[in-house]
Amino acid sequence: MEIAQVIGLAIIVTVIGAVLKQIKPEMALQLSILAGVAIFLLVMDKIRLVVELLQKLADQANVSSYYLFIVLKIVGVAYLAEFGCQICKDAGENALAVKVELAAKIFVVILAIPIIVAIMESMMKLLA
Amino acid sequence: MSFDLILRVAGIGLLVGIFAIILSEAGKKEQAQMVTIAGVVVVLYMVVQGISDLFVLVKSVFKLY
């Protein structure tokens, strides 16, 4: 029951943060960042299992692991960007959050280029 | 790492807040500011370490090199 752990942590941090926000708002922000990191770390171990399973399935289905790794990288970039973006939004820096999202989108497109090229090539092959 | 680090940060935050209030009540505004800044720096150090842990883990899980 690790979900109970996560919920308990979130509730405790919320309560302490509400107190801390009145005396030191900057500390409250850092506390919430750290809580987010802790929850992400807890979840990451589970995600590793899922990724390993996906890799195994891809191997069995004879999908090139090259494309799987690209998709994984995109998921990772999106994940980290979401994390940073939410922290910026929490601190009231909405403009910065939007810029982080923009940068993440551009990096995702750059990572996706090999897949797009491969799709184009196979389409060309079908049409020719 | 997770839980005691968070409690440590919460404790530092509360202590720094209380010290800053006491110092500013005692008419030592500058020292109160110093305490606040020192607390923020110490906590930021811990937060940065945590974030770096997270990034290393994410990189290894999603094979982002």
Side-chain angles (χ1 to χ4, degrees):
Chain A
M1 279 301 281
E2 277 186 316
I3 184 69
Q5 228 173 324
V6 171
I7 295 169
L9 188 121
I11 290 174
I12 289 171
V13 167
T14 307
V15 171
I16 296 176
V19 176
L20 215 52
K21 207 168 255 170
Q22 288 170 2
I23 38 178
K24 285 270 165 277
E26 62 270 28
M27 288 289 194
L29 176 70
Q30 285 180 324
L31 181 69
S32 74
I33 294 174
L34 210 58
V37 168
I39 292 174
F40 266 86
L41 282 177
L42 217 76
V43 172
M44 251 338 172
D45 289 336
K46 308 296 164 213
I47 291 179
R48 188 195 290 274
L49 295 177
V50 175
V51 167
E52 274 164 12
L53 176 74
L54 277 179
Q55 230 166 305
K56 211 185 281 173
L57 284 177
D59 281 347
Q60 281 175 1
N62 280 327
V63 178
S64 161
S65 63
Y66 176 68
Y67 293 117
L68 182 71
F69 282 170
I70 288 174
V71 174
L72 283 181
K73 275 180 192 170
I74 290 173
V75 173
V77 168
Y79 202 53
L80 285 181
E82 182 67 25
F83 183 72
C85 172
Q86 290 297 334
I87 290 172
C88 294
K89 266 191 194 142
D90 258 10
E93 297 275 0
N94 279 318
L96 211 53
V98 171
K99 264 127 205 157
V100 170
E101 272 181 345
L102 176 72
K105 277 171 196 160
I106 289 170
F107 282 124
V108 164
V109 170
I110 288 174
L111 280 174
I113 282 175
I115 296 181
I116 296 170
V117 169
I119 290 173
M120 283 297 175
E121 275 174 358
S122 57
M123 269 168 70
M124 291 294 191
K125 244 180 251 169
L126 281 178
L127 288 176
Chain B
M1 92 114 211
S2 47
F3 205 68
D4 61 284
L5 199 58
I6 288 168
L7 284 182
R8 214 180 293 164
V9 168
I12 291 173
L14 289 171
L15 271 182
V16 165
I18 291 164
F19 276 139
I21 290 169
I22 291 171
L23 281 173
S24 60
E25 289 294 313
K28 293 189 165 55
K29 275 262 158 54
E30 298 84 11
Q31 272 97 327
Q33 288 281 325
M34 294 292 185
V35 168
T36 304
I37 292 169
V40 169
V41 169
V42 168
V43 173
L44 189 62
Y45 182 66
M46 291 153 100
V47 170
V48 166
Q49 276 179 337
I51 289 178
S52 119
D53 278 359
L54 175 73
F55 279 12
V56 167
L57 191 63
V58 170
K59 275 184 191 166
S60 75
V61 169
F62 291 108
K63 310 202 165 40
L64 281 166
Y65 295 117

Short mmCIF file of all heavy atoms in Angstrom, two decimals, chain A residues 1-66:
data_model
loop_
_atom_site.label_atom_id
_atom_site.label_comp_id
_atom_site.label_asym_id
_atom_site.label_seq_id
_atom_site.Cartn_x
_atom_site.Cartn_y
_atom_site.Cartn_z
N MET A 1 0.85 -1.20 0.00
CA MET A 1 0.00 0.00 0.00
C MET A 1 0.88 1.25 0.00
O MET A 1 0.91 2.00 0.97
CB MET A 1 -0.90 -0.02 1.23
CG MET A 1 -2.13 -0.89 1.07
SD MET A 1 -3.15 -0.37 -0.32
CE MET A 1 -4.00 1.02 0.40
N GLU A 2 1.57 1.45 -1.08
CA GLU A 2 2.42 2.64 -1.10
C GLU A 2 1.64 3.90 -1.39
O GLU A 2 2.11 5.00 -1.12
CB GLU A 2 3.53 2.44 -2.13
CG GLU A 2 4.67 1.65 -1.54
CD GLU A 2 5.83 1.54 -2.47
OE1 GLU A 2 5.60 1.29 -3.66
OE2 GLU A 2 6.96 1.71 -2.01
N ILE A 3 0.43 3.72 -1.91
CA ILE A 3 -0.40 4.90 -2.17
C ILE A 3 -0.77 5.59 -0.86
O ILE A 3 -0.83 6.82 -0.79
CB ILE A 3 -1.66 4.51 -2.98
CG1 ILE A 3 -2.49 5.74 -3.34
CG2 ILE A 3 -2.53 3.51 -2.26
CD1 ILE A 3 -1.82 6.64 -4.32
N ALA A 4 -0.94 4.78 0.21
CA ALA A 4 -1.23 5.37 1.52
C ALA A 4 -0.07 6.24 1.97
O ALA A 4 -0.26 7.33 2.52
CB ALA A 4 -1.50 4.27 2.54
N GLN A 5 1.16 5.73 1.70
CA GLN A 5 2.36 6.50 2.05
C GLN A 5 2.36 7.86 1.34
O GLN A 5 2.61 8.90 1.95
CB GLN A 5 3.57 5.71 1.58
CG GLN A 5 4.67 5.56 2.59
CD GLN A 5 5.71 4.60 2.07
OE1 GLN A 5 5.40 3.63 1.39
NE2 GLN A 5 6.95 4.88 2.36
N VAL A 6 2.05 7.81 0.03
CA VAL A 6 2.07 9.05 -0.76
C VAL A 6 1.02 10.03 -0.25
O VAL A 6 1.29 11.22 -0.08
CB VAL A 6 1.83 8.72 -2.25
CG1 VAL A 6 1.63 10.00 -3.04
CG2 VAL A 6 2.97 7.93 -2.81
N ILE A 7 -0.18 9.51 0.01
CA ILE A 7 -1.26 10.40 0.44
C ILE A 7 -0.93 10.99 1.81
O ILE A 7 -1.11 12.19 2.04
CB ILE A 7 -2.60 9.65 0.47
CG1 ILE A 7 -2.98 9.23 -0.93
CG2 ILE A 7 -3.68 10.51 1.06
CD1 ILE A 7 -4.12 8.26 -0.97
N GLY A 8 -0.41 10.16 2.71
CA GLY A 8 -0.04 10.66 4.03
C GLY A 8 1.01 11.74 3.94
O GLY A 8 0.89 12.81 4.57
N LEU A 9 2.02 11.49 3.09
CA LEU A 9 3.07 12.50 2.91
C LEU A 9 2.49 13.80 2.38
O LEU A 9 2.79 14.88 2.88
CB LEU A 9 4.09 11.93 1.91
CG LEU A 9 5.36 12.68 1.70
CD1 LEU A 9 6.51 11.77 2.05
CD2 LEU A 9 5.51 13.09 0.27
N ALA A 10 1.60 13.68 1.39
CA ALA A 10 1.03 14.89 0.79
C ALA A 10 0.21 15.66 1.80
O ALA A 10 0.29 16.89 1.87
CB ALA A 10 0.17 14.51 -0.41
N ILE A 11 -0.57 14.94 2.62
CA ILE A 11 -1.42 15.64 3.59
C ILE A 11 -0.56 16.34 4.63
O ILE A 11 -0.78 17.50 4.97
CB ILE A 11 -2.40 14.65 4.26
CG1 ILE A 11 -3.44 14.21 3.23
CG2 ILE A 11 -3.09 15.29 5.44
CD1 ILE A 11 -4.35 13.13 3.72
N ILE A 12 0.47 15.62 5.12
CA ILE A 12 1.33 16.23 6.14
C ILE A 12 2.03 17.46 5.59
O ILE A 12 2.09 18.52 6.23
CB ILE A 12 2.34 15.18 6.66
CG1 ILE A 12 1.61 14.15 7.51
CG2 ILE A 12 3.43 15.85 7.49
CD1 ILE A 12 2.46 12.99 7.89
N VAL A 13 2.54 17.34 4.35
CA VAL A 13 3.23 18.49 3.75
C VAL A 13 2.25 19.64 3.53
O VAL A 13 2.61 20.81 3.71
CB VAL A 13 3.90 18.07 2.43
CG1 VAL A 13 4.35 19.28 1.65
CG2 VAL A 13 5.08 17.19 2.73
N THR A 14 1.01 19.31 3.16
CA THR A 14 0.02 20.37 2.97
C THR A 14 -0.23 21.13 4.27
O THR A 14 -0.27 22.36 4.29
CB THR A 14 -1.30 19.77 2.47
OG1 THR A 14 -1.03 18.97 1.33
CG2 THR A 14 -2.29 20.84 2.11
N VAL A 15 -0.36 20.36 5.37
CA VAL A 15 -0.66 21.01 6.65
C VAL A 15 0.52 21.87 7.09
O VAL A 15 0.36 23.05 7.45
CB VAL A 15 -1.00 19.94 7.72
CG1 VAL A 15 -1.10 20.58 9.08
CG2 VAL A 15 -2.30 19.24 7.36
N ILE A 16 1.74 21.27 7.03
CA ILE A 16 2.91 22.04 7.45
C ILE A 16 3.09 23.25 6.54
O ILE A 16 3.44 24.35 6.98
CB ILE A 16 4.17 21.15 7.45
CG1 ILE A 16 4.03 20.04 8.48
CG2 ILE A 16 5.40 21.97 7.81
CD1 ILE A 16 5.18 19.07 8.48
N GLY A 17 2.83 23.05 5.25
CA GLY A 17 2.98 24.15 4.30
C GLY A 17 2.02 25.28 4.58
O GLY A 17 2.37 26.46 4.43
N ALA A 18 0.80 24.94 5.00
CA ALA A 18 -0.17 26.00 5.30
C ALA A 18 0.31 26.85 6.46
O ALA A 18 0.15 28.08 6.46
CB ALA A 18 -1.52 25.37 5.62
N VAL A 19 0.95 26.18 7.47
CA VAL A 19 1.49 26.95 8.59
C VAL A 19 2.68 27.78 8.13
O VAL A 19 2.81 28.96 8.45
CB VAL A 19 1.91 25.99 9.74
CG1 VAL A 19 2.55 26.77 10.87
CG2 VAL A 19 0.71 25.23 10.24
N LEU A 20 3.54 27.12 7.34
CA LEU A 20 4.80 27.76 6.95
C LEU A 20 4.58 28.94 6.01
O LEU A 20 5.37 29.88 5.98
CB LEU A 20 5.68 26.70 6.27
CG LEU A 20 7.17 26.78 6.51
CD1 LEU A 20 7.46 26.83 7.98
CD2 LEU A 20 7.85 25.57 5.90
N LYS A 21 3.47 28.87 5.26
CA LYS A 21 3.22 29.92 4.27
C LYS A 21 2.99 31.26 4.95
O LYS A 21 3.26 32.31 4.37
CB LYS A 21 2.00 29.52 3.42
CG LYS A 21 2.03 30.12 2.04
CD LYS A 21 0.99 29.49 1.14
CE LYS A 21 1.62 28.54 0.16
NZ LYS A 21 0.65 27.74 -0.58
N GLN A 22 2.49 31.21 6.19
CA GLN A 22 2.19 32.46 6.88
C GLN A 22 3.46 33.13 7.39
O GLN A 22 3.55 34.36 7.41
CB GLN A 22 1.24 32.21 8.05
CG GLN A 22 -0.15 31.88 7.56
CD GLN A 22 -1.04 31.40 8.66
OE1 GLN A 22 -0.63 31.33 9.81
NE2 GLN A 22 -2.26 31.06 8.30
N ILE A 23 4.45 32.30 7.84
CA ILE A 23 5.64 32.95 8.38
C ILE A 23 6.76 33.03 7.34
O ILE A 23 7.43 34.03 7.26
CB ILE A 23 6.13 32.25 9.68
CG1 ILE A 23 5.97 30.74 9.60
CG2 ILE A 23 5.40 32.79 10.86
CD1 ILE A 23 6.49 30.04 10.83
N LYS A 24 6.94 31.98 6.54
CA LYS A 24 8.01 32.04 5.53
C LYS A 24 7.51 31.42 4.22
O LYS A 24 7.67 30.21 4.00
CB LYS A 24 9.24 31.25 6.03
CG LYS A 24 10.04 31.95 7.09
CD LYS A 24 11.12 32.80 6.48
CE LYS A 24 11.69 33.77 7.47
NZ LYS A 24 10.91 35.00 7.63
N PRO A 25 6.96 32.21 3.33
CA PRO A 25 6.41 31.66 2.09
C PRO A 25 7.45 30.96 1.23
O PRO A 25 7.17 29.95 0.59
CB PRO A 25 5.86 32.89 1.36
CG PRO A 25 5.74 33.94 2.39
CD PRO A 25 6.74 33.66 3.44
N GLU A 26 8.72 31.45 1.24
CA GLU A 26 9.75 30.85 0.39
C GLU A 26 10.09 29.44 0.86
O GLU A 26 10.35 28.55 0.04
CB GLU A 26 10.99 31.75 0.33
CG GLU A 26 11.71 31.99 1.64
CD GLU A 26 11.19 33.21 2.36
OE1 GLU A 26 10.01 33.55 2.17
OE2 GLU A 26 11.96 33.83 3.13
N MET A 27 10.05 29.25 2.20
CA MET A 27 10.31 27.91 2.74
C MET A 27 9.18 26.96 2.37
O MET A 27 9.40 25.79 2.08
CB MET A 27 10.42 27.98 4.26
CG MET A 27 11.68 28.62 4.73
SD MET A 27 13.10 27.58 4.42
CE MET A 27 14.29 28.39 5.43
N ALA A 28 7.94 27.49 2.37
CA ALA A 28 6.80 26.64 2.03
C ALA A 28 6.94 26.13 0.60
O ALA A 28 6.68 24.96 0.30
CB ALA A 28 5.50 27.43 2.19
N LEU A 29 7.41 27.02 -0.29
CA LEU A 29 7.60 26.62 -1.69
C LEU A 29 8.63 25.50 -1.79
O LEU A 29 8.41 24.49 -2.48
CB LEU A 29 8.05 27.83 -2.50
CG LEU A 29 8.38 27.52 -3.94
CD1 LEU A 29 7.11 27.18 -4.68
CD2 LEU A 29 9.09 28.66 -4.60
N GLN A 30 9.75 25.69 -1.08
CA GLN A 30 10.81 24.67 -1.15
C GLN A 30 10.35 23.35 -0.56
O GLN A 30 10.67 22.29 -1.08
CB GLN A 30 12.05 25.18 -0.44
CG GLN A 30 12.77 26.23 -1.26
CD GLN A 30 14.00 26.75 -0.58
OE1 GLN A 30 14.02 26.90 0.62
NE2 GLN A 30 15.02 27.03 -1.36
N LEU A 31 9.54 23.45 0.49
CA LEU A 31 9.00 22.23 1.10
C LEU A 31 8.13 21.48 0.08
O LEU A 31 8.23 20.25 -0.05
CB LEU A 31 8.18 22.60 2.33
CG LEU A 31 7.56 21.44 3.10
CD1 LEU A 31 8.65 20.64 3.77
CD2 LEU A 31 6.57 21.93 4.12
N SER A 32 7.31 22.24 -0.65
CA SER A 32 6.42 21.55 -1.60
C SER A 32 7.23 20.96 -2.75
O SER A 32 6.90 19.88 -3.27
CB SER A 32 5.34 22.49 -2.10
OG SER A 32 5.85 23.40 -3.00
N ILE A 33 8.32 21.64 -3.16
CA ILE A 33 9.18 21.08 -4.21
C ILE A 33 9.76 19.75 -3.73
O ILE A 33 9.75 18.74 -4.44
CB ILE A 33 10.33 22.05 -4.57
CG1 ILE A 33 9.81 23.31 -5.22
CG2 ILE A 33 11.32 21.36 -5.50
CD1 ILE A 33 10.88 24.33 -5.44
N LEU A 34 10.26 19.75 -2.49
CA LEU A 34 10.89 18.55 -1.96
C LEU A 34 9.88 17.41 -1.84
O LEU A 34 10.20 16.24 -2.12
CB LEU A 34 11.51 18.86 -0.60
CG LEU A 34 12.73 18.04 -0.26
CD1 LEU A 34 13.80 18.22 -1.30
CD2 LEU A 34 13.25 18.42 1.09
N ALA A 35 8.65 17.76 -1.44
CA ALA A 35 7.62 16.72 -1.35
C ALA A 35 7.35 16.13 -2.74
O ALA A 35 7.19 14.92 -2.89
CB ALA A 35 6.34 17.31 -0.76
N GLY A 36 7.30 17.02 -3.73
CA GLY A 36 7.10 16.53 -5.09
C GLY A 36 8.21 15.60 -5.51
O GLY A 36 7.96 14.54 -6.11
N VAL A 37 9.46 15.97 -5.19
CA VAL A 37 10.60 15.12 -5.53
C VAL A 37 10.47 13.75 -4.85
O VAL A 37 10.69 12.71 -5.48
CB VAL A 37 11.92 15.80 -5.12
CG1 VAL A 37 13.07 14.83 -5.21
CG2 VAL A 37 12.20 16.99 -6.01
N ALA A 38 10.07 13.78 -3.58
CA ALA A 38 9.97 12.52 -2.84
C ALA A 38 8.92 11.61 -3.47
O ALA A 38 9.14 10.40 -3.64
CB ALA A 38 9.62 12.80 -1.38
N ILE A 39 7.78 12.20 -3.85
CA ILE A 39 6.71 11.38 -4.44
C ILE A 39 7.16 10.84 -5.80
O ILE A 39 6.95 9.67 -6.13
CB ILE A 39 5.41 12.19 -4.55
CG1 ILE A 39 4.88 12.48 -3.15
CG2 ILE A 39 4.37 11.43 -5.35
CD1 ILE A 39 3.68 13.39 -3.12
N PHE A 40 7.83 11.68 -6.58
CA PHE A 40 8.33 11.24 -7.89
C PHE A 40 9.31 10.08 -7.71
O PHE A 40 9.27 9.11 -8.46
CB PHE A 40 9.04 12.39 -8.60
CG PHE A 40 8.17 13.16 -9.53
CD1 PHE A 40 7.40 14.20 -9.06
CD2 PHE A 40 8.11 12.85 -10.87
CE1 PHE A 40 6.59 14.92 -9.90
CE2 PHE A 40 7.30 13.58 -11.72
CZ PHE A 40 6.55 14.61 -11.24
N LEU A 41 10.20 10.22 -6.70
CA LEU A 41 11.19 9.16 -6.47
C LEU A 41 10.50 7.85 -6.12
O LEU A 41 10.92 6.78 -6.56
CB LEU A 41 12.14 9.56 -5.34
CG LEU A 41 13.24 10.54 -5.70
CD1 LEU A 41 14.03 10.89 -4.46
CD2 LEU A 41 14.16 9.97 -6.74
N LEU A 42 9.41 7.97 -5.33
CA LEU A 42 8.67 6.77 -4.94
C LEU A 42 8.06 6.10 -6.16
O LEU A 42 8.04 4.88 -6.28
CB LEU A 42 7.58 7.17 -3.94
CG LEU A 42 7.29 6.19 -2.81
CD1 LEU A 42 8.38 6.29 -1.79
CD2 LEU A 42 5.95 6.51 -2.20
N VAL A 43 7.53 6.95 -7.07
CA VAL A 43 6.83 6.41 -8.23
C VAL A 43 7.82 5.87 -9.27
O VAL A 43 7.52 4.93 -9.99
CB VAL A 43 5.94 7.53 -8.83
CG1 VAL A 43 5.34 7.09 -10.14
CG2 VAL A 43 4.85 7.90 -7.87
N MET A 44 9.00 6.50 -9.29
CA MET A 44 9.97 6.16 -10.33
C MET A 44 10.35 4.67 -10.33
O MET A 44 10.52 4.07 -11.38
CB MET A 44 11.24 6.98 -10.12
CG MET A 44 11.47 8.05 -11.12
SD MET A 44 10.64 7.77 -12.60
CE MET A 44 10.84 9.18 -13.47
N ASP A 45 10.48 4.10 -9.12
CA ASP A 45 10.84 2.68 -9.04
C ASP A 45 9.80 1.82 -9.74
O ASP A 45 10.14 0.83 -10.40
CB ASP A 45 10.99 2.27 -7.58
CG ASP A 45 12.23 2.87 -6.96
OD1 ASP A 45 13.17 3.18 -7.72
OD2 ASP A 45 12.27 3.02 -5.73
N LYS A 46 8.52 2.22 -9.57
CA LYS A 46 7.45 1.45 -10.23
C LYS A 46 7.53 1.64 -11.74
O LYS A 46 7.32 0.69 -12.51
CB LYS A 46 6.08 1.91 -9.73
CG LYS A 46 5.95 1.91 -8.25
CD LYS A 46 6.07 0.52 -7.67
CE LYS A 46 6.34 0.59 -6.18
NZ LYS A 46 7.17 -0.48 -5.69
N ILE A 47 7.82 2.87 -12.16
CA ILE A 47 7.87 3.15 -13.60
C ILE A 47 8.99 2.33 -14.24
O ILE A 47 8.86 1.86 -15.37
CB ILE A 47 8.06 4.66 -13.85
CG1 ILE A 47 6.80 5.41 -13.46
CG2 ILE A 47 8.37 4.93 -15.31
CD1 ILE A 47 6.89 6.88 -13.63
N ARG A 48 10.06 2.14 -13.48
CA ARG A 48 11.17 1.34 -14.03
C ARG A 48 10.69 -0.07 -14.38
O ARG A 48 11.03 -0.61 -15.43
CB ARG A 48 12.31 1.29 -13.01
CG ARG A 48 13.57 0.66 -13.55
CD ARG A 48 14.49 0.30 -12.41
NE ARG A 48 15.05 1.48 -11.75
CZ ARG A 48 16.16 2.09 -12.17
NH1 ARG A 48 16.79 1.66 -13.24
NH2 ARG A 48 16.65 3.11 -11.52
N LEU A 49 9.85 -0.63 -13.48
CA LEU A 49 9.32 -1.98 -13.76
C LEU A 49 8.49 -1.97 -15.04
O LEU A 49 8.61 -2.87 -15.88
CB LEU A 49 8.44 -2.45 -12.59
CG LEU A 49 9.13 -2.67 -11.25
CD1 LEU A 49 8.12 -3.06 -10.21
CD2 LEU A 49 10.20 -3.72 -11.39
N VAL A 50 7.65 -0.93 -15.20
CA VAL A 50 6.79 -0.85 -16.38
C VAL A 50 7.65 -0.75 -17.64
O VAL A 50 7.38 -1.42 -18.65
CB VAL A 50 5.84 0.36 -16.27
CG1 VAL A 50 5.03 0.51 -17.54
CG2 VAL A 50 4.91 0.20 -15.09
N VAL A 51 8.71 0.07 -17.55
CA VAL A 51 9.57 0.25 -18.71
C VAL A 51 10.25 -1.06 -19.08
O VAL A 51 10.36 -1.42 -20.26
CB VAL A 51 10.61 1.36 -18.42
CG1 VAL A 51 11.69 1.36 -19.47
CG2 VAL A 51 9.94 2.70 -18.37
N GLU A 52 10.69 -1.80 -18.04
CA GLU A 52 11.34 -3.08 -18.33
C GLU A 52 10.37 -4.04 -19.01
O GLU A 52 10.74 -4.76 -19.95
CB GLU A 52 11.89 -3.69 -17.03
CG GLU A 52 13.27 -3.16 -16.71
CD GLU A 52 13.69 -3.44 -15.29
OE1 GLU A 52 13.01 -4.23 -14.61
OE2 GLU A 52 14.69 -2.84 -14.85
N LEU A 53 9.12 -4.02 -18.53
CA LEU A 53 8.10 -4.87 -19.16
C LEU A 53 7.90 -4.49 -20.62
O LEU A 53 7.85 -5.36 -21.51
CB LEU A 53 6.78 -4.73 -18.40
CG LEU A 53 5.60 -5.49 -19.00
CD1 LEU A 53 5.75 -6.96 -18.75
CD2 LEU A 53 4.29 -4.98 -18.45
N LEU A 54 7.80 -3.18 -20.87
CA LEU A 54 7.61 -2.71 -22.25
C LEU A 54 8.76 -3.17 -23.13
O LEU A 54 8.57 -3.61 -24.27
CB LEU A 54 7.54 -1.18 -22.27
CG LEU A 54 6.21 -0.54 -21.94
CD1 LEU A 54 6.34 0.97 -21.99
CD2 LEU A 54 5.16 -0.99 -22.94
N GLN A 55 9.98 -3.08 -22.56
CA GLN A 55 11.15 -3.47 -23.33
C GLN A 55 11.08 -4.95 -23.70
O GLN A 55 11.37 -5.34 -24.83
CB GLN A 55 12.39 -3.20 -22.48
CG GLN A 55 13.46 -2.42 -23.19
CD GLN A 55 14.47 -1.91 -22.19
OE1 GLN A 55 14.11 -1.25 -21.22
NE2 GLN A 55 15.73 -2.22 -22.40
N LYS A 56 10.66 -5.75 -22.70
CA LYS A 56 10.56 -7.19 -22.95
C LYS A 56 9.53 -7.49 -24.03
O LYS A 56 9.75 -8.29 -24.94
CB LYS A 56 10.18 -7.90 -21.64
CG LYS A 56 10.76 -9.31 -21.54
CD LYS A 56 10.26 -10.01 -20.29
CE LYS A 56 11.00 -9.58 -19.05
NZ LYS A 56 10.41 -10.13 -17.82
N LEU A 57 8.38 -6.80 -23.92
CA LEU A 57 7.32 -7.00 -24.92
C LEU A 57 7.81 -6.60 -26.30
O LEU A 57 7.53 -7.28 -27.30
CB LEU A 57 6.08 -6.17 -24.55
CG LEU A 57 5.23 -6.71 -23.41
CD1 LEU A 57 4.10 -5.75 -23.12
CD2 LEU A 57 4.68 -8.08 -23.76
N ALA A 58 8.53 -5.48 -26.36
CA ALA A 58 9.02 -5.01 -27.65
C ALA A 58 10.01 -6.01 -28.24
O ALA A 58 10.01 -6.27 -29.45
CB ALA A 58 9.67 -3.65 -27.50
N ASP A 59 10.83 -6.59 -27.37
CA ASP A 59 11.77 -7.60 -27.85
C ASP A 59 11.03 -8.80 -28.42
O ASP A 59 11.39 -9.34 -29.47
CB ASP A 59 12.68 -8.05 -26.70
CG ASP A 59 13.78 -7.05 -26.45
OD1 ASP A 59 13.95 -6.16 -27.31
OD2 ASP A 59 14.45 -7.14 -25.41
N GLN A 60 9.96 -9.22 -27.72
CA GLN A 60 9.21 -10.39 -28.19
C GLN A 60 8.50 -10.10 -29.50
O GLN A 60 8.36 -10.97 -30.34
CB GLN A 60 8.18 -10.81 -27.13
CG GLN A 60 8.82 -11.60 -26.00
CD GLN A 60 7.85 -11.90 -24.90
OE1 GLN A 60 6.68 -11.53 -24.97
NE2 GLN A 60 8.33 -12.55 -23.86
N ALA A 61 8.02 -8.82 -29.66
CA ALA A 61 7.29 -8.47 -30.87
C ALA A 61 8.22 -8.06 -32.00
O ALA A 61 7.76 -7.63 -33.05
CB ALA A 61 6.31 -7.35 -30.57
N ASN A 62 9.52 -8.17 -31.75
CA ASN A 62 10.52 -7.80 -32.75
C ASN A 62 10.42 -6.34 -33.19
O ASN A 62 10.70 -6.01 -34.34
CB ASN A 62 10.41 -8.70 -33.99
CG ASN A 62 11.09 -10.02 -33.72
OD1 ASN A 62 12.08 -10.07 -33.00
ND2 ASN A 62 10.56 -11.08 -34.29
N VAL A 63 9.96 -5.47 -32.26
CA VAL A 63 10.00 -4.04 -32.55
C VAL A 63 11.41 -3.56 -32.23
O VAL A 63 11.98 -3.97 -31.21
CB VAL A 63 8.98 -3.28 -31.68
CG1 VAL A 63 9.06 -1.80 -31.94
CG2 VAL A 63 7.59 -3.79 -31.95
N SER A 64 11.95 -2.74 -33.13
CA SER A 64 13.29 -2.25 -32.88
C SER A 64 13.33 -1.44 -31.60
O SER A 64 12.50 -0.54 -31.40
CB SER A 64 13.72 -1.38 -34.06
OG SER A 64 14.78 -0.57 -33.67
N SER A 65 14.26 -1.77 -30.70
CA SER A 65 14.30 -1.08 -29.42
C SER A 65 14.72 0.38 -29.61
O SER A 65 14.53 1.20 -28.71
CB SER A 65 15.25 -1.78 -28.46
OG SER A 65 16.54 -1.74 -28.96
N TYR A 66 15.27 0.70 -30.78
CA TYR A 66 15.64 2.08 -31.09
C TYR A 66 14.42 3.00 -30.98
O TYR A 66 14.47 4.03 -30.33
CB TYR A 66 16.23 2.11 -32.49
CG TYR A 66 16.58 3.46 -33.02
CD1 TYR A 66 17.63 4.19 -32.44
CD2 TYR A 66 15.90 4.02 -34.08
CE1 TYR A 66 17.96 5.43 -32.92
CE2 TYR A 66 16.22 5.26 -34.57
CZ TYR A 66 17.25 5.97 -33.99
OH TYR A 66 17.57 7.20 -34.46
#
